Amino acid sequence: MSRLLVLLAVVALAAGLAGPALGSEKHPTQRELESELVCPACHSTLDESDSEIARQMKDYIRQRIAEGATKSQIESELVAQLGESVLGVPRKHGFDLLAWVLPIGGIILGAALLGAGAWQWSRVRAGGGGAGPLEPALDPVLERRLDEELRRFDG
């Protein structure tokens, strides 16, 4: 039952986050696009650039938003005019998908290897398997003398 509640909570959260993302696609803001697009002249985001081409791109974005263009349309038009280098983040399809998948896959693989290593290490330590005792046992004569000294010290 608790798993069902957790699953429902995750679905509700995903649905709640999907709404603003879709709204952003249909009704992008000037600030949002300027922070995601790169100036081809100075290679910084448009919101940080003040070059002539950056000002032209900002004007173009403002005009296209006023005309009701979607975020994807504006980005596609700018890519067609200026090339892929204007995108601040890689696209999420085709070869560019590797830029998203490889880091996430590396993190997941690293976490799995770390977990497996920790599990193996804890199994060896808990079971007492592997190497024997770290120090050899005391000589019986020395052990007897140590016991006598400890008794005298305690008593």
Side-chain angles (χ1 to χ4, degrees):
M1 184 66 176
S2 65
R3 286 184 181 181
L4 179 61
L5 291 176
V6 170
L7 180 63
L8 288 175
V10 169
V11 169
L13 180 64
L17 294 175
L22 292 175
S24 172
E25 170 61 29
K26 292 181 183 178
H27 305 289
T29 63
Q30 179 88 19
R31 176 174 287 182
E32 174 186 13
L33 283 167
E34 286 180 8
S35 68
E36 294 178 5
L37 296 171
V38 175
C39 172
C42 61
H43 305 293
S44 63
T45 57
L46 289 180
D47 57 356
E48 296 177 350
S49 177
D50 197 32
S51 68
E52 180 60 33
I53 186 75
R55 285 194 294 271
Q56 291 173 0
M57 289 173 69
K58 290 175 186 180
D59 291 340
Y60 180 79
I61 292 169
R62 188 176 305 111
Q63 175 188 353
R64 293 296 289 139
I65 288 174
E67 293 171 358
T70 65
K71 181 178 175 180
S72 298
Q73 289 173 330
I74 296 170
E75 287 176 348
S76 296
E77 292 166 359
L78 287 170
V79 166
Q81 292 174 12
L82 303 169
E84 292 273 335
S85 64
V86 298
L87 295 175
V89 295
R91 295 185 182 262
K92 294 180 179 105
H93 58 80
F95 184 73
D96 291 336
L97 183 62
L98 285 177
W100 296 99
V101 172
L102 288 179
I104 293 170
I107 290 170
I108 291 170
L109 179 64
L113 290 174
L114 184 64
W119 180 80
Q120 180 66 27
W121 180 71
S122 69
R123 301 286 296 168
V124 168
R125 289 183 50 101
L134 296 177
E135 296 181 17
L138 286 177
D139 179 33
V141 175
L142 286 174
E143 190 172 356
R144 183 182 50 79
R145 284 181 56 197
L146 180 62
D147 288 340
E148 288 173 5
E149 291 291 329
L150 286 174
R151 270 191 300 254
R152 256 191 313 160
F153 181 72
D154 287 339

